[in-house]
Amino acid sequence: MKIAIDGPAGAGKSTLARELAKIMGFIYIDTGAMYRAITWKVIRENIDIDNETAVRDLAEKTRIHFEINSQTQKIICDHEDITSVIRSPQVGDLVSRVALFPLVREILVKQQQEMARNNSVVMDGRDIGEIVLPDADFKFFLTAEIEERARRRTEEFNQAGYSVTADSIRDDLNRRDKSDYQRPVGALKVLEDSIIIDTTDLTVAEVLKRMLAIIRGE
Ligand code: DC
């Protein structure tokens, strides 16, 4: 079974995808982490972030995989555990520029499809229902109001030890939304077969319950 979860940043996708995968016994594939991994490497190797070919070449030679055990999931990039470093505000600031490049998307989409080929998966991102898994059994579109998304992101950053303000996070989300919805390739959109859930006033448990009911046909 393939479950696609798309939506803007801070809508609750990764939390829900992880929980859902745990309950269903599926593999969780966090595609945003893959764009972040390439961005992190662009920064570390001092690659010109505006040079699409250079970033594509970097993506091509980068090996990304997810290491899963019962409690945690790590993202490994060329044998290095980059699970926390890809969540830094610096990577967050630059990742939408990397995600804009069609040549980079092409490489990552292929890798994502390969990861899903022989597995039941829950995959979250922006273009999963349309491009990566067009035949997904369920296509959820999670969304939430901008203020609530900014509140959640600020809390996440603060818990991770980064000091950020809600205002700066809201500005960043607005900028990211614009790029996610408007890029020419792999844009975020509600599809004809999307199941839309607005998570603004719902707890994680409530959203999870709704998703499970839909999947189980209750
Ligand atoms: O979900 P996230 O915030 O970790 O995603 C990081 C960035 O990657 C975000 O700017 C959108 C982009 N992205 C994308 O373009 N396509 C995906 N399938 C997943 C994420």
Side-chain angles (χ1 to χ4, degrees), residues 51-61 101 103-104 107:
N51 183 337
E52 180 170 6
T53 317
V55 181
R56 190 270 318 266
D57 289 348
L58 182 79
E60 203 154 41
K61 62 173 201 216
F101 292 142
L103 295 176
V104 175
I107 289 170

Side-chain angles (χ1 to χ4, degrees), residues 119-162:
N119 296 298
S120 283
V121 296
V122 180
M123 196 182 277
D124 77 335
R126 306 294 189 286
D127 57 344
I128 310 306
E130 186 182 43
I131 311 277
V132 184
L133 303 174
D135 297 329
D137 300 86
F138 297 94
K139 297 180 184 178
F140 290 100
F141 188 98
L142 297 190
T143 184
E145 281 164 21
I146 182 86
E147 291 301 331
E148 175 59 15
R149 292 193 284 125
R151 193 193 62 74
R152 292 175 188 168
R153 268 290 143 103
T154 308
E155 203 174 283
E156 271 168 29
F157 274 130
N158 289 339
Q159 271 173 9
Y162 297 109

Side-chain angles (χ1 to χ4, degrees), residues 9 13 30-33 35-36 87 95-96 99 105 112 124-128 153 176 180 183:
K13 297 185 302 296
D30 174 356
T31 65
Y35 289 91
R36 286 171 181 269
R87 302 287 155 201
V95 62
S96 49
R105 304 197 68 86
Q112 291 153 10
D124 77 335
R126 306 294 189 286
D127 57 344
I128 310 306
R153 268 290 143 103
R176 217 113 72 79
D180 284 346
R183 69 175 149 253

Side-chain angles (χ1 to χ4, degrees), residues 3-7 13 20 122-123 129 137-142 193-197 207 210-215:
I3 299 174
I5 305 182
D6 290 303
K13 297 185 302 296
L20 201 56
V122 180
M123 196 182 277
D137 300 86
F138 297 94
K139 297 180 184 178
F140 290 100
F141 188 98
L142 297 190
D193 48 354
S194 292
I195 303 157
I196 304 171
I197 302 180
V207 182
R210 275 194 203 184
M211 293 172 97
L212 283 169
I214 291 166
I215 293 165

Side-chain angles (χ1 to χ4, degrees), residues 4 9 69 85:
N69 67 34
V85 286

Side-chain angles (χ1 to χ4, degrees), residues 22 67-73:
K22 220 185 280 170
E67 208 175 86
I68 303 155
N69 67 34
S70 57
Q71 291 311 312
T72 56
Q73 177 158 325

